[in-house]
Amino acid sequence: MSDATAQPPKAVEGALGFIDERLGSTTFFKRNVKKVFPDHWSFMLGEIALYSFIILLLTGTFLTLWFKPSMVEVVYDGSYTKLNGVQMSEAYASTLHITFDVRGGLLMRQIHHWAAILFMASILAHMLRVFFTGAYRKPRELNWLIGIGMFTLGMLEGLFGYSLPDDLLSGTGLRITQGVAESIPLVGTYIYMFLFGGEFPGTEIIPRLYMLHILLIPGLILGMVTAHMMIMWHQKHTAMPTQKQTEEQVYGYPFYPVFMAKTGAYFLFTFGVLALMGAFVQINPIWLFGPYDPGAISAGSQPDWYMGVLEGALRIMPNWEVTAWGHTVSFNVLIPALVPLGILFGGAAAWPFVEAWVTGDRRLHHVNTRPRNAPVRTATGMAAVTFYGLLWLAGANDVIADKFHLSLFATTWFFRVAIFVGTFLAFVITKRICLGLQRKDADTISHGVESGVILMSPDGRYSERHEPARAEESTVILSKENARPEAPSRDANGIPAPDTKGPLGHLRSRLARAWTFDDIPIEPHDGGHGHDEVEAGKEPKQLSH
């Protein structure tokens, strides 16, 4: 279904004409109102992230009307009588006021917090879908980088957001942030003093985080969302392999009215789920933690899930410190803060360009790849997921040790070993699974699928008739791009190819061979599966498997 010559429907023609007569700017709308969007359930992951962000903006606006970003000390005398007479900051007192005295305040706080968690979860799930299907390939590398930037900013936005109430849990997180900033060699002390405005905790940190949380970072994320949508609109959405979908033609539903109606309904579904969670599922009960006290810490305290990777890395890192020329470098804090996310986000950002360099694939891609058909990519992605997940679990090593009656020392050493062994095993096992699934697909194309019809030959042997795979299934299987033969390293005159010279050339050749050497080719079968069929007047043959 092409959208090149589509005309706007009558339902919107009048409105477009009204705007065009006054502004002369409706050419874009007339051209794009029938723009086609491919349909697949996994595409909704990105939409959920957008809806969650909108809900965050709406609920955040409500909360700003009553929150006081101040570290001025007050004595609480509000509805929560268990804290009456306790000295606390205005930030914490105003959060208690929103929770217990503002009508709908607790509901809005909890919807806001759940929306933040859903926002991060849906971005991550969307990025995994993009990675495993190869949707980041040319020409969509910029949108991939924008997605990584949004996730990174979302982590900062979440950290600053749950630090604002100035309760004991958020204060502990700020204390870790201060330690991480101070661990950076040479400039760490300056960064720490610039951020906090003085000795920890000071009186400036909450107002500064407040400005970053409600203005700067949301503005950056909003700009990235806008850029992401504009680029996607221009390049068109990628599509899953189907019979009617090709690299040259988009097949799907028009923006109006189908996609517009569906996206409106999905927004209401997302809002409804978050409202139910905000009403019935408690999150971040700051009144139980009490105001922040630098000399206290709550047992079993955990950050939101997306910060768990940093918490886990910090907990399992050995106590390595080096002192030289009057300076102490705390690797036990510096490495957990920079290396894990540097590996994950830096590797993810470089991957589209590294893959294109290794494979030599410079073509435009509008149809996604099945994960099984890119074993190296899928295995690398699962290794990264395992790495991230183990660090996330390590952030709760004390809770795991307590609930399962284990030694904290033993759980820490388990995660220190598992972070390397588990990542390697995830790569190897995933790659073997992908190759096994490729062999199954090749067998389906070559021999067909089981029909359920059992045949008996005159000598008493039984066999099952195979039939060709359905057209839709065959199209999906045959969408695999078979590995192209590697270009010869030398021409007819024995002159080396330019891209094989030097260390980088040798590295690229080795990586290209590792990428494709165990590829399972899948080709269309034109034999008609006659070896499994019974011809008139002949004995049925035993099936060969």
Side-chain angles (χ1 to χ4, degrees):
M1 184 184 297
S2 175
D3 58 352
T5 60
Q7 297 296 323
K10 294 182 179 180
V12 297
E13 190 173 1
L16 293 178
F18 177 88
I19 297 175
D20 189 46
E21 290 172 356
R22 289 154 181 81
L23 302 178
S25 58
T26 59
T27 304
F28 173 83
F29 296 102
K30 288 181 179 179
R31 185 175 67 251
N32 290 284
V33 71
K34 296 290 287 184
K35 193 175 186 70
V36 166
F37 284 84
D39 187 40
H40 192 267
W41 67 266
S42 64
F43 298 161
M44 192 175 67
L45 297 171
E47 296 177 39
I48 292 175
L50 176 62
Y51 308 146
S52 301
F53 182 66
I54 294 173
I55 295 169
L56 279 170
L57 295 179
L58 295 174
T59 54
T61 301
F62 177 91
L63 296 175
T64 57
L65 301 178
W66 285 277
F67 181 72
K68 296 180 181 179
S70 171
M71 295 289 285
V72 173
E73 293 288 331
V74 298
V75 176
Y76 181 71
D77 185 21
S79 299
Y80 190 66
T81 57
K82 293 183 178 180
L83 289 177
N84 279 347
V86 176
Q87 196 171 21
M88 60 185 64
S89 66
E90 276 195 316
Y92 186 67
S94 65
T95 307
L96 291 175
H97 176 70
I98 294 172
T99 302
F100 295 106
D101 298 312
V102 175
R103 180 171 296 179
L106 177 59
L107 177 64
M108 287 297 178
R109 276 194 62 240
Q110 299 206 143
I111 291 177
H112 189 75
H113 204 138
W114 280 120
I117 290 177
L118 182 61
F119 175 66
M120 295 298 293
S122 53
I123 287 182
L124 182 59
H126 179 62
M127 290 175 61
L128 290 175
R129 195 278 301 174
V130 170
F131 182 83
F132 285 122
T133 60
Y136 55 80
R137 294 175 295 176
K138 184 180 179 180
R140 295 175 177 83
E141 302 95 334
L142 288 180
N143 250 356
W144 173 249
L145 297 178
I146 289 174
I148 295 173
M150 280 195 288
F151 190 81
T152 305
L153 286 177
M155 292 182 70
L156 287 175
E157 178 75 344
L159 171 64
F160 296 163
Y162 68 66
S163 298
L164 290 179
D166 195 35
D167 60 286
L168 184 58
L169 181 61
S170 66
T172 302
L174 277 180
R175 187 61 162 173
I176 296 174
T177 303
Q178 176 258 328
V180 169
E182 203 169 7
S183 70
I184 301 175
L186 301 179
V187 298
T189 304
Y190 298 98
I191 294 175
Y192 153 52
M193 296 298 289
F194 175 78
L195 180 63
F196 286 84
E199 293 293 336
F200 180 86
T203 59
E204 302 295 330
I205 183 62
I206 295 299
R208 292 180 180 186
L209 292 184
Y210 184 68
M211 288 297 103
L212 293 173
H213 182 72
I214 70 168
L215 289 178
L216 179 60
I217 298 180
L220 292 174
I221 294 177
L222 183 60
M224 286 185 169
V225 169
T226 304
H228 186 83
M229 298 296 293
M230 291 177 65
I231 293 174
M232 186 273 294
W233 190 279
H234 170 70
Q235 295 176 342
K236 296 184 174 63
H237 204 292
T238 57
M240 296 299 182
T242 60
Q243 282 185 283
K244 300 180 181 180
Q245 181 69 52
T246 66
E247 294 285 1
E248 294 78 26
Q249 177 172 292
V250 179
Y251 180 81
Y253 295 106
F255 176 74
Y256 180 89
V258 179
F259 183 79
M260 186 179 294
K262 288 174 65 177
T263 198
Y266 289 154
F267 172 77
L268 295 177
F269 292 158
T270 304
F271 186 84
V273 169
L274 288 174
L276 288 173
M277 294 178 69
F280 297 107
V281 184
Q282 180 176 272
I283 187 170
N284 197 25
I286 54 101
W287 57 90
L288 299 179
F289 306 143
Y292 178 62
D293 179 359
I297 186 171
S298 56
S301 59
Q302 300 291 321
D304 284 340
W305 71 268
Y306 47 87
M307 299 298 294
V309 59
L310 296 177
E311 176 84 2
L314 189 64
R315 292 191 181 205
I316 66 175
M317 181 67 193
N319 189 25
W320 293 350
E321 288 187 346
V322 175
T323 301
W325 298 290
H327 294 277
T328 299
V329 180
S330 300
F331 290 110
N332 54 346
V333 179
L334 186 64
I335 290 178
L338 300 181
V339 173
L341 290 185
I343 293 174
L344 291 171
F345 292 167
W351 184 267
F353 309 99
V354 172
E355 180 180 322
W357 175 68
V358 169
T359 62
D361 188 358
R362 308 291 179 180
R363 298 168 297 170
L364 296 175
H365 293 276
H366 302 297
V367 179
N368 293 324
T369 303
R370 301 172 81 198
R372 67 182 66 183
N373 293 334
V376 175
R377 177 203 303 153
T378 304
T380 303
M382 285 307 301
V385 170
T386 303
F387 179 77
Y388 190 102
L390 286 171
L391 285 178
W392 174 74
L393 279 174
N397 64 342
D398 57 337
V399 178
I400 294 173
D402 176 61
K403 298 300 182 183
F404 292 94
H405 307 289
L406 301 172
S407 165
L408 181 61
F409 182 80
T411 57
T412 301
W413 268 104
F414 168 80
F415 284 112
R416 286 176 179 174
V417 175
I419 200 67
F420 298 103
V421 177
T423 300
F424 174 75
L425 289 178
F427 180 90
V428 173
I429 293 172
T430 302
K431 186 176 181 183
R432 302 316 302 175
I433 291 174
C434 289
L435 293 175
L437 291 173
Q438 283 190 37
R439 291 188 182 93
K440 178 179 180 296
D441 288 343
D443 184 71
T444 298
I445 294 298
S446 177
H447 300 292
V449 297
E450 297 174 352
S451 66
V453 178
I454 305 299
L455 303 175
M456 185 180 70
S457 64
D459 58 1
R461 291 180 298 175
Y462 291 92
S463 60
E464 184 176 10
R465 175 185 293 172
H466 278 207
E467 297 177 347
R470 291 179 291 108
E472 181 66 29
E473 183 180 2
S474 296
T475 300
V476 173
I477 294 175
L478 292 174
S479 67
K480 178 181 183 296
E481 301 172 2
N482 292 322
R484 294 175 293 173
E486 187 178 2
S489 58
R490 295 176 181 271
D491 61 15
N493 299 318
I495 300 176
D499 58 355
T500 62
K501 297 178 180 179
L504 279 180
H506 291 297
L507 175 63
R508 179 186 177 277
S509 297
R510 290 176 180 273
L511 291 175
R513 284 194 294 271
W515 191 278
T516 60
F517 83 95
D518 51 4
D519 181 74
I520 310 297
I522 299 178
E523 302 290 350
H525 181 71
D526 300 324
H529 307 279
H531 61 289
D532 293 336
E533 297 176 355
V534 180
E535 300 180 19
K538 295 186 178 180
E539 293 181 356
K541 300 177 181 179
Q542 183 178 15
L543 292 180
S544 59
H545 293 280

